[in-house]
Structures are given as structure tokens and as C-alpha cells.
């Protein structure tokens, strides 16, 4: 049975702003889904309030509504589009499912004759209501942990008395494990039970026996109307039960599971999916397995939607789950659809992997002072990275190199812990850096049996770590000129970076690189092909590895490289790596637009990125995707292999920008603004000299490298002072200090965390208004795409401020200064492409805070508000294909657009929620108002100074 031809128009519900627990993996799913449905000639209408994502780009759907995710907005859309036949809520995470349920309860779908596809209401209710789910498992004979539901405090106390400790409390209908907690004693039970009941929208919690130390697995399933089911991927959590899967290091495919248990798990998963309702679409099922030879299986939960793990599974296997799930929701059967990578086999074909995937989460605890940094049932990470390798060790190393936390991989960088007590504590209370601490523990000589006893991490993983350490120890006994070729090759095959090998040998990274060249040990690129090379794959999606060379019968030695280089002119776009506070999905939006614009100009586009949650790493976004760390060694090797015309660095945030110096040093062309101009904007001394020459005012400042120098500077600068380290992102480490004692404390603290850094001390313009401008410049002409005024005063990070487009109370005189300064600075920095400039306005004088000659957080927002593809234009300028004067700019906006930050403080109890110069928001939404009399604007304006922290 092919697709349901009665469906002509579909409404897709997005997931709203990025919060911890629900991030851009749902925008990836939603974007893929919209494309998949439009391919069928079906109209797509989309609702999502997130302006930073590619999902809400006008090109993604026939109609995009940037509205709050409420039933009021749903009714508005259904009235405007009476032709909508169906709604697909499974692409927007928990937010979309909850909204869909609410609309169903209010009878909205019935009133407008809209049917639900991809899931049914019954399935959502069964899987979300912990009690119903438990009863279902009993009925179908799938084992579950002993558990009971409580809807009151008293009920909860009775259950705890019956089960005994340790227990788990899980609120119903919440996201990313919100409110979930382990309880080890009755002293902490009361507080955690109360919190759980409050967090659940229906004030219900499930209390179950804690399966501490059990192993955790996930399966990703797809099912069609004909009841065909495929299991796309099995995922094993390296961390045992007790740590939320979003905070766990996960490995695909499962590594330590016996085949018998895996087959049993498959059967349970299929049985569970078939029993929750008769729908076609995707499902994610989680299991716990006892860590003994019995391997008892217990079902934990099932999510009848695409999930964080399905984004990972899609990138891991090359099987686009959201795309296929959308087609199944339209009525197609799996055997009627093509495998998107081979183009010759059907989608009713389970992927086979001949490589290993490791996902590591990325946290941002430094933004949440006082946060509990241990990991548990409540998700705390803000992003993730994925490494692909021929072995677990290679993939693990690549993932650690992708994190961008100043580590070069596991060990061999001199940054490990050396204190026994500290190591034991970090192993006992799962810490964000436990992935590194295991290595440190082995290095210190702590036996594997002891590490296993503390962490309950499977012995197989620990032995893999031990092998790495033994290899490091062996290499360290050699010098550069005596290191055997076999050992060098083994180190590279196990993922060690040239920098790490240089650390072991006591030499320079460049010397190790040269030794590799001499020995002909070079990276080769392999295809992610879904079928372990059993069928020919059409899709250029690559990862790198090292192989020993082969000798042909006629004596030629070679290594097999699956990445064929064409003779077309090429451009490399550097991605922004893992999401974090200060650099999120908005840079992914810019990268995708950059790739599409370069394609329009006739370039072969090459994308390098390591973030599995995003559209930029979709295998059909760029002409070639290298799923590799945005780490110098990997990038340099790809550039050597592909020989592009140049590299675009200004779309990938600070991650890509930081590589500009090395690219420039190695003679690789940077497309757009030159490295010297980028450096001039970052170097406060040089930048201030430039502003002085241009006669543009800026707050008085000085540079200090010690507490003593800072104290002397304070005498000439006057308090309050804004203190910050140079070359950081999202205001990291910034603080406003009001006296010498505060100054000394903060400077000492900063230099301890970032040794050798220069600190900038600016006189803080108390009570100033903050504004920012984004512009496109071609070196001669400047076009300002938007000026935004912040509602909060100067001193709150621009990413945490509510901001209006256009400004709401800047006079003609101030606006003219902003325009003049922007044009002068853009031209003086010889900008080619995008630039963002931030201003402080006091007594009608416009001061410059900083200039960033790159895509900024606000570019997607301005593009959405004005309905103009600014990144497309800017990329064509960077490539030298167009001048600013070649574009016909036509921005359209009635009234005002307000950028509203969204915070994830609910994940961190006892954290200071006051806002200041260091960014804390995880996402943003867009609000359109007709005029300044709007109640929502009035409320924002009246609260603008409430959170200012010094």
C-alpha cells in the first residue's frame, strides 16, 4: 500500500527553544521531516518559536510560523489553513507531544478535522503515564523494575517503606529527566519526593527500585502500517544505570552484549512497540541488563517519537530515521522506500556497521556557579560530540578530541589528575570528566578491578583503556628517531593525535607529522555506507582511519582510500563543533546556508564537523561530509587530501575562528576576512589603537597579567570594572567588580583556571543602554542588516538579554552614530563577509564594546525577522562572487521582533540565577509584537534591571 493520497497538507510541530534535555536534535529531525514530506508534493506548515535553527528557515516549509507553542497558536494556524489534513507531532520532542495531547484533550484536532499521523494519542498516554506503562509491560510479559505510582506525599512515603532504599523517583510527563532523583536514605526522601511531585505537570511520580550498576542499552526502531519493524541501531551506555542517557558516554553498536540477550532484547522492543498502538513511525526503547552472566533484561521506557538517540543513530548508521519515519507516517511501507545511502537496497534493511561510534556529552558547568557537577538521573549536558573509528579506542579518542575543552585526547597531554583522593572521588561520584579520569586512575596504578567496583563500568571498556595506557608507556621509552614504524602506526590506529605522540616522545607535533610522512602513515577515508561495504554506496559521507599499506603483485605499495578527489573547484566550511552555552545551533544555521550558497556559485562543498545533532552533518547537506573533530590535525589532513580553493571560517563561531591563525600560517587561503583582520578585532590593544585612529569612543581599558598589575590599573580606570580573559566565548569568566578586594579575588581565580592569559579591565559604563549591529561588507561597501537594542542594561551578556529589532527608543542622533561607527569599523578591519559590533550608549555617546568579524548569534534572528537570506548573500561576498551592491535588499517586518533568551536553571537547584556579563541561556525564542503598547513588551521592560548581578 503506497502513501495515503488523502493527505495534501501536514502541520509539523517543532520543539521550541533549546533547553537542556531537548536540543537541536529535534530541529534536525524536523528539518529532515519537512523535506521528506515536501518531496511527496505535500504542503508543509510548520510551527516552532526558535529563530536560531535552520528548521524555521522559509525554505524549509511552505508556511513557517514563528509562534509560541500553545494551543492558541495551533487554533490560529488551523483557521488560516483549513486545508490541513494531518498533524505530525513526533519530530518536536516532548514539547510537541505534550502540545499535541493538550490540543487533543481540548478537541481541537476533532473540531478542525485534522488526523494524527506518526503516533496515536493512546501511545503517548501509555508511554508517558508511568502507571499505565507498568501495567502494559505486565500484560505483555516484559520484565520491569518493581515500581508504584504516587500522586500524594503520603502515598510516596508508604511506597518507600515497602521497597526500601535505594529508590528512584521519576515525575510523569517531564523532559530530560527533570525532577528525577536517586534516594539513598529517608533523610533526603521527603525533599526529593516533594520536588518530583511539583515538577510533574500532573503531580504524579513513579517510585521504583534502583537498578544501580546495571548496564543500560537503547534500541532505535521503525515500523510501517504493514507491521514491518526494523531495528536501526543498538546503543550501549558505557556508564551504567543511574546516569541519564543524555549524560552518558554511549557506544554504537552494543559492545558487551551476548547475541542471545541481544535477540531477546530485540523481541521485547518489537513487542513493546506493537503493543502501544497501531501507528507507523519511529520509537526509542531503553533497557537495563544485569551485569552478571544471567543478563536479566528489564524494560525502562519507550518513547513513541524520534529522540536524541535517533539523531545519533541516524548519523551513526547513515540511515535517516526522521526522513523515513515521515514517509511511513504518510502510509508508505518500508519495502517501498529506498535506502538513502546505497540507493539500490530497500529501507527494509537493517544497517550493518564495520566501524564504531562513541558519543560523549558536552557540559557547561562553569556557567552555573554552585551547580552540583555530579551526574545522575537528571540530564545536565548542553551538547554532544560523536567520533567514528575502526575500533572503540580510535572512536573514543576522536570524540575526546572533539570536545574542545583544551584536551588533546585521553592522556599524553600532561593535564591528567595526579591526586589519588581526587581521582577516587571523581570515579565514585560520576563527574563530567570521568572519561579522562579512568585513564588517570590506570596511569596511577589503581587496579582495573577496583575501578570496576567503584564505577560498575564493564570490564571490557576498562581493558580497552588499559591497552591505550600500556601503548603510551611503551612509546614513551623511545625517542623520535628510534620509534619503530609499527608502534607509530598502532598509536595512530588507536586514535592518538600527533600532539599526544609528541608529548610521549618529548618532541614537536610537526616532527611527528614529518615522521608519519616519511613512513607513509597517512589518514585514509572510509564511507559510512549502512551496509559494511556489501553494496555500493552513493553517498559521500566519510570518516578517517589509518591502515597498513598493501603490496600488489607487481610491487606497488598503497592504502585503500574511499574518498575520491574530483577536479572541481572546492570550498571547505568549518563547523562549530558541539553545542555549548555561547555557541549553539545558530552557527549550524549559518554553516548550512554557507554550504548552499557555495553550491549555487558552482563550488563542490566540503563540510567538516563532529556534532551529531545538527543539519550541517546531514549526509546530503554538503557535497562531501567529513564527520571528524574540528581539531587541527584532522582538518589539515582533509585539506591536504582535497586541496580546496580555500576555507570558510567565519560561519562556525569561535571554534572555526580559532583555527584561522594556523590555517594562515600553513598558507591555506581563508575565504572572506583575512586572519590579520580577525586577529586585529580580537587583540584589544591593536583594536583600541584602530578605534583611536578612527576617532570612535570606547570605554577606558587596560591589560593585566597579574593581580598586582590589575590593582595598579584600577587606580587609573575607576570602578566599577569589567574583568575578562581574552579570546573566550560567551563571556566566559567575565565579571563586574566594584572594589579592589573583589578585583583581586576574581583575577587570582581567572589566572588559576586560564594560566598565562591576558586579562582585560574595562571601565564599566554603569546604566548604559546596550545595542548591537550586524552587517555585510565586501571590503568597499557596507550594508547593515539589522540594529538591535537590548531591553536589559549594559552589563548583562548580549546572549542573555531580551533584544528588539528595530530599536525601540534610540534617537536619530544615536542611530546615526551606530551606523557611522559600524561602516567605519567594517571597512577599517577590511571585512569580507559578516561582522557584528556591540555598543554601549551613555549620555547620547555611542561607545564600542567589541567587534566580531564573523557570523553572530543574532544573524539567524534578523534573517527570520526580515525574511531575508543574509548568510547566503554574505557567503557569496566571501567567495568574491558578488559585491554588496549586487543584492536587492528588501527587509519586511511590521512592528517589532523581540529575541527572548531561554534558561535551563530548572536542572540546577541552588544555582545563582542572577544574570551578568557571563552568558547562561541555552536557547532563545522570537516574539513578534505590533507596537510598544503590547503587554508582553511592557512586562519585559519593567523587569529589565531585576537580574543584574555584579
Amino acid at each position: 500500500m503506497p502513501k495515503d493520497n488523502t493527505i495534501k497538507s501536514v502541520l509539523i510541530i517543532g520543539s521550541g527553544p533549546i533547553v537542556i534535555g531537548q536540543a537541536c536534535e529535534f530541529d534536525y529531525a524536523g528539518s529532515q521531516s519537512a523535506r521528506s514530506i515536501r518531496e511527496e508534493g505535500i504542503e508543509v506548515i510548520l510551527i516552532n518559536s526558535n529563530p536560531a535553527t535552520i528548521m524555521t528557515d522559509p525554505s524549509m516549509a511552505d508556511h513557517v510560523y514563528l509562534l509560541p507553542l500553545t494551543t492558541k497558536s495551533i487554533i490560529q494556524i488551523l483557521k488560516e489553513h483549513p486545508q490541513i489534513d494531518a498533524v505530525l507531532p513526533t519530530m518536536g520532542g516532548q514539547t510537541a507531544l505534550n502540545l499535541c495531547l493538550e490540543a487533543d484533550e481540548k478537541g481541537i484536532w476533532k473540531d478542525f478535522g485534522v488526523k494524527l499521523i506518526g503516533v496515536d494519542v493512546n501511545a503517548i498516554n501509555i508511554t508517558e503515564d508511568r502507571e499505565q506503562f507498568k501495567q502494559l509491560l505486565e500484560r505483555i510479559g516484559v520484565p520491569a523494575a518493581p515500581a508504584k505510582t504516587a500522586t500524594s506525599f503520603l502515598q510516596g512515603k508508604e511506597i518507600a517503606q515497602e521497597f526500601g532504599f535505594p529508590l528512584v523517583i521519576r515525575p510523569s510527563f517531564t523532559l530530560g529527566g527533570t525532577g528525577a532523583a536517586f534516594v539513598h536514605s529517608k533523610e533526603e526522601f521527603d525533599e526529593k519526593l516533594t520536588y518530583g511531585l511539583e515538577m510533574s505537570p500532573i503531580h504524579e511520580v513513579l517510585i521504583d527500585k534502583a537498578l544501580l550498576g546495571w548496564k543500560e542499552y537503547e534500541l532505535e526502531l521503525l515500523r510501517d502500517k504493514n507491521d514491518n519493524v526494523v531495528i536501526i541501531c543498538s546503543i550501549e551506555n558505557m556508564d551504567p544505570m543511574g546516569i541519564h542517557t543524555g549524560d552518558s558516554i554511549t557506544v554504537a553498536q552494543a559492545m558487551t552484549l551476548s547475541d542471545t540477550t541481544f535477540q531477546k532484547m530485540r523481541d521485547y522492543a518489537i513487542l513493546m512497540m506493537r503493543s502501544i498502538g497501531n501507528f507507523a513511525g519511529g520509537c526509542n526503547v531503553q533497557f537495563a541488563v544485569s551485569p552478571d552472566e544471567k543478563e536479566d533484561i528489564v524494560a525502562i521506557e519507550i518513547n513513541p517519537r524520534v529522540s536524541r538517540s535517533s539523531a545519533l543513530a541516524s548519523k551513526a548508521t547513515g540511515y535517516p530515521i526522521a526522513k523515513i519515519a515521515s514517509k511511513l507516517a504518510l502510509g508508505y511501507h518500508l519495502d517501498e522506500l529506498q535506502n538513502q545511502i546505497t540507493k539500490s537496497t530497500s529501507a527494509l534493511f537493517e544497517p550493518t556497521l564495520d566501524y564504531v561510534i562513541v558519543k560523549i556529552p558536552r557540559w557547561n558547568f562553569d556557567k552555573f556557579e554552585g551547580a552540583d557537577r555530579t551526574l545522575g538521573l537528571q540530564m545536565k549536558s548542553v551538547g554532544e560530540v560523536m567520533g567514528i573509528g575502526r575500533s572503540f579506542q580510535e572512536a573514543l579518542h576522536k570524540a575526546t578530541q572533539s570536545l574542545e575543552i583544551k584536551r588533546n585526547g585521553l592522556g599524553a597531554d600532561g593535564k591528567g589528575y595526579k591526586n589519588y583522593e581526587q581521582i577516587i572521588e571523581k570515579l565514585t561520584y560520576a563527574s563530567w570528566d570521568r572519561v579522562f579520569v579512568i585513564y588517570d586512575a590506570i596511569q596511577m596504578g589503581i587496579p582495573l578491578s577496583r575501578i570496576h567496583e567503584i564505577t560498575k563500568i564493564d570490564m571490557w571498556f576498562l581493558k580497552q583503556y588499559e591497552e591505550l595506557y600500556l601503548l603510551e608507556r611503551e612509546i614513551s621509552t623511545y625517542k623520535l628517531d628510534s620509534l619503530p614504524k609499527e608502534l607509530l602506526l598502532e598509536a595512530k590506529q588507536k586514535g592518538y593525535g600527533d600532539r599526544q605522540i609528541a608529548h610521549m616522545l618529548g618532541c614537536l607535533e610537526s616532527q611527528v607529522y614529518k615522521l608519519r610522512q616519511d613512513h607513509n602513515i597517512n589518514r585514509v577515508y572510509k564511507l559510512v555506507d549502512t551496509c559494511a561495504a556489501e553494496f555500493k554506496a552513493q553517498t559521500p559521507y566519510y570518516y578517517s582511519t589509518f591502515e597498513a599499506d598493501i603490496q600488489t603483485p607487481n610491487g606497488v605499495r598503497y592504502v585503500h582510500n574511499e574518498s575520491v578527489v574530483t577536479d572541481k573547484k572546492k570550498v571547505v566550511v568549518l563547523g562549530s563543533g558541539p553545542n555549548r552555552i555561547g555557541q549553539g545551533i545558530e552557527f549550524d544555521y549559518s554553516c548550512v546556508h554557507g554550504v548552499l550558497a557555495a553550491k549555487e556559485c558552482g563550488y563542490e562543498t566540503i563540510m567538516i564537523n563532529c556534532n551529531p545533532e545538527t543539519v550541517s552533518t546531514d549526509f546530503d547537506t554538503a557535497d562531501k561530509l567529513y564527520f571528524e573533530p574540528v581539531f587541527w590535525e584532522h582538518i589539515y589532513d582533509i585539506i591536504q587530501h582535497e586541496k580546496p580553493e580555500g576555507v570558510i571560517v567565519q560561519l562556525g563561531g569561535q571554534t572555526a575562528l580559532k583555527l584561522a591563525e594556523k590555517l594562515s600560517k600553513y598558507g591555506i587561503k581563508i575565504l572572506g576576512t583575512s586572519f590579520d583582520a580577525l586577529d586585529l578585532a580580537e587583540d584589544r590593544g591593536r583594536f583600541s589603537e584602530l578605534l583611536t585612529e578612527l576617532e570612535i569612543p570606547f570605554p577606558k581599558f587596560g591589560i593585566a597579567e597579574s593581580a598586582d598589575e590589575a590593582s595598579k590599573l584600577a587606580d587609573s580606570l575607576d570602578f566599577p570594572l569589567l574583568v575578562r580573559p581574552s579570546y573566550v566565548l560567551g563571556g566566559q569568566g567575565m565579571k563586574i567588580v566594584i572594589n579592589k578586594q573583589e578585583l583581586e579575588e576574581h583575577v587570582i581565580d581567572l589566572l588559576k583556571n586560564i594560566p598565562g592569559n591576558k586579562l582585560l579591565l574595562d571601565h564599566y559604563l554603569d546604566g548604559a543602554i546596550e545595542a548591537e549591529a550586524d552587517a555585510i561588507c565586501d571590503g568597499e561597501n557596507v550594508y547593515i542588516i539589522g540594529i538591535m537594542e537590548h531591553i536589559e542594561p549594559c552589563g548583562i551578556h548580549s546572549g542573555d538579554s531580551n533584544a528588539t529589532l528595530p530599536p525601540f527608543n534610540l534617537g536619530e542622533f544615536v542611530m546615526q552614530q551606530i551606523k557611522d561607527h559600524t561602516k567605519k569599523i567594517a571597512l577599517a578591519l577590511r571585512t569580507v563577509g559578516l561582522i557584528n559590533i556591540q555598543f554601549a550608549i551613555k549620555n547620547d555617546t555611542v561607545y564600542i564594546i567589541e567587534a566580531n568579524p564573523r557570523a553572530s548569534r543574532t544573524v539567524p534572528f534578523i534573517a527570520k525577522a526580515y525574511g531575508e537570506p543574509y548568510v547566503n548573500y554574505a557567503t557569496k561576498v566571501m567567495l568574491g562572487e558578488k559585491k554588496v551592491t549586487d543584492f536587492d535588499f528588501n527587509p519586511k517586518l511590521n512592528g517589532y521582533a523581540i529575541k527572548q533568551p531561554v534558561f535551563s536553571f530548572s536542572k540546577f537547584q541552588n544555582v545563582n540565577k542572577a544574570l551578568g556579563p557571563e552568558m547562561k541561556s541555552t536557547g532563545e525564542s522570537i516574539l513578534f509584537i505590533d507596537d510598544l503598547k503590547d503587554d508582553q513588551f511592557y512586562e519585559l521592560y519593567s523587569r529589565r534591571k531585576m537580574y543584574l548581578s555584579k
Side-chain angles (χ1 to χ4, degrees):
M1 183 188 107
K3 73 170 188 196
D4 179 346
N5 288 318
T6 63
I7 299 175
K8 301 277 189 284
S9 178
V10 172
L11 171 66
I12 295 178
I13 305 176
S15 59
I18 303 290
V19 289
I20 291 178
Q22 186 173 272
C24 52
E25 63 275 2
F26 294 108
D27 292 312
Y28 160 69
S31 305
Q32 220 183 54
S33 175
R35 282 164 57 193
S36 180
I37 293 172
R38 287 177 92 190
E39 276 175 4
E40 300 300 323
I42 294 171
E43 179 186 47
V44 169
I45 291 134
L46 183 68
I47 175 172
N48 195 359
S49 55
N50 186 345
T53 153
I54 195 80
M55 183 186 178
T56 52
D57 197 65
S59 64
M60 276 292 159
D62 297 285
H63 303 279
V64 175
Y65 284 89
L66 281 153
L67 291 174
L69 291 164
T70 60
T71 49
K72 185 181 168 192
S73 303
I74 296 280
I75 292 168
Q76 180 192 328
I77 292 169
L78 295 175
K79 279 182 178 168
E80 282 178 37
H81 297 278
Q83 76 276 24
I84 293 175
D85 304 303
V87 58
L88 181 65
T90 54
M91 301 294 155
Q94 201 59 45
T95 298
L97 284 190
N98 287 357
L99 179 58
C100 174
L101 273 186
E102 192 187 333
D104 185 70
E105 281 162 16
K106 291 179 177 173
I108 295 169
W109 306 130
K110 206 170 166 190
D111 293 350
F112 287 91
V114 173
K115 67 176 172 187
L116 207 56
I117 57 172
V119 71
D120 55 39
V121 168
N122 195 26
I124 305 173
N125 279 323
I126 288 175
T127 55
E128 285 298 333
D129 185 318
R130 304 277 182 188
E131 185 58 36
Q132 275 197 58
F133 178 57
K134 197 168 71 62
Q135 288 169 2
L136 169 84
L137 292 180
E138 272 170 32
R139 258 199 327 275
I140 61 175
V142 173
K148 284 192 174 174
T149 329
T151 49
S152 72
F153 185 75
L154 197 62
Q155 256 182 317
K157 296 274 279 190
E158 284 169 5
I159 295 165
Q161 199 171 315
E162 182 188 334
F163 284 170
F165 298 99
L167 291 171
V168 180
I169 296 177
R170 301 174 203 272
S172 294
F173 287 89
T174 64
L175 181 82
T178 300
F182 272 112
V183 185
H184 295 277
S185 64
K186 60 174 188 287
E187 288 72 39
E188 53 182 343
F189 181 73
D190 293 7
E191 180 200 337
K192 286 179 176 170
L193 175 63
T194 309
Y195 185 62
L197 287 165
E198 278 172 10
M199 283 290 109
S200 167
I202 59 168
H203 308 297
E204 173 190 282
V205 296
L206 183 79
I207 299 173
D208 55 1
K209 276 294 274 181
L211 301 169
L212 285 173
W214 282 43
K215 293 171 11 172
E216 191 165 2
Y217 295 90
E218 292 180 72
L219 296 181
E220 293 298 324
L221 290 77
L222 280 175
R223 168 206 199 186
D224 66 19
K225 286 253 165 61
N226 216 11
D227 222 7
N228 291 310
V229 179
V230 284
I231 290 180
I232 307 303
C233 191
S234 63
I235 300 173
E236 174 167 1
N237 289 14
M238 190 174 104
D239 298 289
M241 285 286 292
I243 296 176
H244 190 283
T245 53
D247 277 357
S248 292
I249 295 159
T250 60
V251 186
Q253 293 183 333
M255 291 280 149
T256 71
L257 199 56
S258 71
D259 190 52
T260 329
T261 310
F262 176 54
Q263 296 306 331
K264 203 155 130 193
M265 196 183 276
R266 283 177 60 104
D267 295 344
Y268 282 156
I270 293 169
L271 181 61
M272 285 163 73
M273 188 176 188
R274 285 178 172 157
S275 65
I276 59 172
N278 188 23
F279 64 92
C283 235
N284 160 271
V285 193
Q286 291 173 23
F287 293 99
V289 173
S290 67
D292 51 24
E293 57 283 352
K294 288 200 303 210
E295 289 195 318
D296 292 329
I297 302 177
V298 165
I300 300 168
E301 65 178 19
I302 181 167
N303 293 306
R305 56 171 169 83
V306 300
S307 64
R308 185 179 314 102
S309 305
S310 44
L312 181 73
S314 295
K315 299 294 163 70
T317 58
Y319 191 113
I321 294 172
K323 187 174 188 174
I324 301 292
S326 303
K327 300 253 197 251
L328 302 180
L330 297 174
Y332 278 108
H333 293 165
L334 280 159
D335 51 354
E336 296 171 324
L337 299 171
Q338 250 187 0
N339 175 313
Q340 303 291 301
I341 280 201
T342 62
K343 307 275 193 208
S344 60
T345 55
S346 92
L348 186 58
F349 181 101
E350 296 194 349
T352 323
L353 274 56
D354 54 359
Y355 48 82
V356 181
I357 295 289
V358 173
K359 171 215 94 179
I360 302 181
R362 172 77 158 71
W363 291 270
N364 254 136
F365 288 122
D366 49 343
K367 301 284 182 190
F368 300 102
E369 246 176 275
D372 171 9
R373 293 180 177 221
T374 53
L375 308 180
L377 294 173
Q378 196 160 300
M379 184 171 160
K380 295 176 181 179
S381 63
V382 289
E384 61 190 33
V385 296
M386 179 177 106
I388 313 181
R390 277 293 199 198
S391 65
F392 168 72
Q393 293 162 328
E394 185 179 27
L396 180 68
H397 255 130
K398 279 185 167 185
T400 52
Q401 285 158 1
S402 303
L403 285 168
E404 291 176 59
I405 53 170
K406 298 191 168 68
R407 295 297 299 257
N408 296 329
L410 288 179
D413 63 359
K415 292 181 180 169
Y417 290 102
K418 305 276 191 294
N419 179 310
Y420 176 79
E421 276 77 25
Q422 196 176 14
I423 289 174
I424 293 291
E425 185 174 351
K426 280 185 166 287
L427 292 177
T428 309
Y429 303 101
S431 59
W432 65 274
D433 55 357
R434 187 157 79 165
V435 62
F436 297 98
V437 178
I438 294 166
Y439 197 95
D440 301 338
I442 293 170
Q443 198 161 16
M444 181 168 271
I446 299 171
L448 294 195
S449 54
R450 175 91 172 104
I451 300 172
H452 170 69
E453 183 194 320
I454 297 171
T455 63
K456 301 290 187 281
I457 291 171
D458 193 280
M459 211 57 171
W460 184 85
F461 292 115
L462 299 180
K463 284 186 172 143
Q464 296 286 307
Y465 265 91
E466 186 181 49
E467 273 181 29
L468 286 174
Y469 167 63
L470 293 173
L471 179 64
E472 177 187 341
R473 211 169 64 179
E474 187 178 356
I475 291 174
S476 302
T477 63
Y478 290 92
K479 286 277 171 276
L480 183 73
D481 50 7
S482 62
L483 181 69
K485 178 182 175 178
E486 295 68 37
L487 268 186
L488 179 58
L489 177 62
E490 189 185 346
K492 295 310 290 178
Q493 286 180 323
K494 290 189 169 172
Y496 276 112
D498 289 352
R499 273 179 213 177
Q500 291 173 290
I501 297 167
H503 181 86
M504 298 174 205
L505 298 170
C507 65
L508 299 172
E509 180 183 4
S510 54
Q511 290 174 294
V512 175
Y513 179 77
K514 187 177 179 309
L515 183 65
R516 278 208 288 126
Q517 301 294 298
D518 295 345
H519 283 314
N520 201 22
I521 297 175
N522 295 313
R523 270 191 171 77
V524 288
Y525 298 96
K526 299 291 178 187
L527 273 166
V528 171
D529 62 5
T530 78
C531 60
E534 287 175 39
F535 300 91
K536 189 168 166 44
Q538 308 288 326
T539 304
Y541 169 13
Y542 302 99
Y543 67 97
S544 74
T545 190
F546 288 86
E547 288 187 348
D549 48 11
I550 308 162
Q551 187 164 347
T552 61
N554 56 4
V556 177
R557 300 196 75 84
Y558 79 103
V559 279
H560 182 52
N561 197 335
E562 292 176 7
S563 170
V564 179
V565 178
T566 66
D567 52 8
K568 294 178 190 160
K569 58 176 186 173
K570 308 174 188 63
V571 61
V572 165
V573 177
L574 288 187
S576 54
N579 275 18
R580 71 214 76 162
I581 291 174
Q583 182 174 288
I585 192 174
E586 60 281 355
F587 293 106
D588 186 65
Y589 165 93
S590 296
C591 286
V592 172
H593 268 294
V595 162
L596 300 178
K599 274 188 188 179
E600 284 172 33
C601 297
Y603 284 85
E604 181 180 322
T605 53
I606 296 164
M607 183 76 217
I608 307 174
N609 203 2
C610 54
N611 184 343
E613 302 179 306
T614 62
V615 178
S616 70
T617 54
D618 213 352
F619 62 75
D620 56 1
T621 296
D623 294 311
K624 266 183 158 178
L625 165 67
Y626 284 95
F627 206 107
E628 292 284 282
V630 189
F631 187 79
W632 172 249
E633 180 183 323
H634 295 269
I635 288 159
Y636 186 60
D637 281 352
I638 293 166
I639 289 168
Q640 294 295 93
H641 177 62
E642 289 284 354
K643 303 191 172 42
E645 305 288 307
V647 179
I648 293 178
V649 296
Q650 55 175 283
L651 301 177
Q654 207 66 21
T655 294
L657 216 57
K658 275 193 279 200
L659 290 158
E661 181 176 10
K662 265 205 145 157
L663 289 167
S664 169
K665 195 171 110 186
Y666 279 79
I668 296 158
K669 187 178 179 189
I670 291 170
L671 297 167
T673 310
S674 70
F675 166 68
D676 187 57
L678 299 173
D679 188 59
L680 175 54
E682 283 279 3
D683 184 322
R684 286 302 289 221
R686 287 178 70 195
F687 186 53
S688 304
E689 283 165 21
L690 178 74
L691 292 177
T692 309
E693 260 172 57
L694 297 172
E695 297 179 352
I696 294 175
F698 54 92
K700 285 189 297 177
F701 85 102
I703 295 173
E705 292 185 39
S706 68
D708 201 30
E709 283 177 32
S711 180
K712 288 193 183 102
L713 259 177
D715 296 334
S716 59
L717 290 176
D718 301 331
F719 287 101
L721 291 174
L722 178 64
V723 184
R724 55 181 158 173
S726 56
Y727 283 94
V728 295
L729 183 80
Q732 188 190 334
M734 277 196 198
K735 200 166 186 181
I736 298 166
V737 294
I738 55 171
N739 58 40
K740 284 209 170 178
Q741 187 191 339
E742 277 190 9
L743 173 67
E744 187 177 296
E745 280 170 14
H746 189 53
V747 167
I748 289 168
D749 190 43
L750 276 180
L751 291 172
K752 186 178 75 196
N753 292 328
I754 318 175
N757 204 318
K758 288 183 178 165
L759 302 180
L760 310 169
L761 276 65
D762 292 74
H763 171 65
Y764 168 59
L765 297 164
D766 202 8
I769 294 169
E770 194 167 339
E772 57 187 302
D774 283 283
I776 302 175
C777 176
D778 57 20
E780 295 162 13
N781 313 286
V782 180
Y783 175 77
I784 296 173
I785 64 173
I787 296 171
M788 296 176 73
E789 179 184 355
H790 296 189
I791 294 176
E792 283 81 3
C794 192
I796 288 181
H797 191 281
S798 60
D800 286 354
S801 299
N802 289 278
T804 66
L805 179 78
F808 60 94
N809 76 348
L810 299 180
E812 198 70 31
F813 175 58
V814 166
M815 286 295 280
Q816 196 53 53
Q817 285 178 73
I818 289 176
K819 288 172 190 170
D820 293 346
H821 292 349
T822 302
K823 287 181 177 171
K824 271 188 187 173
I825 292 169
L827 292 171
L829 286 174
R830 301 187 298 286
T831 308
V832 179
L834 290 158
I835 185 166
N836 165 271
I837 303 176
Q838 296 184 14
F839 309 96
I841 300 138
K842 194 163 182 181
N843 304 331
D844 276 358
T845 301
V846 176
Y847 297 87
I848 303 297
I849 302 174
E850 63 180 19
N852 294 304
R854 58 168 168 82
S856 71
R857 193 174 300 105
T858 42
V859 167
F861 178 89
I862 296 168
K864 302 287 171 64
Y866 282 147
E868 293 263 79
Y870 293 126
V871 180
N872 180 295
Y873 296 165
T875 305
K876 287 171 180 170
V877 166
M878 285 177 231
L879 294 169
E881 299 283 322
K882 298 269 188 206
K883 288 280 186 197
V884 166
T885 44
D886 294 334
F887 299 108
D888 181 17
F889 293 102
N890 184 22
K892 298 180 196 68
L893 172 65
N894 299 320
Y896 296 84
I898 302 179
K899 176 179 79 71
Q900 296 183 287
V902 172
F903 300 88
S904 294
F905 288 130
S906 66
K907 299 287 178 197
F908 302 103
Q909 283 171 284
N910 315 322
V911 160
N912 176 5
K913 296 177 180 58
L915 303 180
E918 185 159 344
M919 185 171 162
K920 292 177 180 176
S921 63
T922 51
E924 62 190 48
S925 62
I926 190 168
L927 170 71
F928 291 99
I929 58 169
D930 294 333
D931 55 49
L932 300 175
K933 296 186 184 80
D934 190 285
D935 288 349
Q936 282 167 289
F937 173 76
Y938 190 78
E939 191 194 340
L940 286 174
Y941 192 68
S942 64
R943 287 171 37 217
R944 69 191 186 281
K945 289 189 178 177
M946 195 163 95
Y947 288 125
L948 185 61
S949 77
K950 291 190 170 175

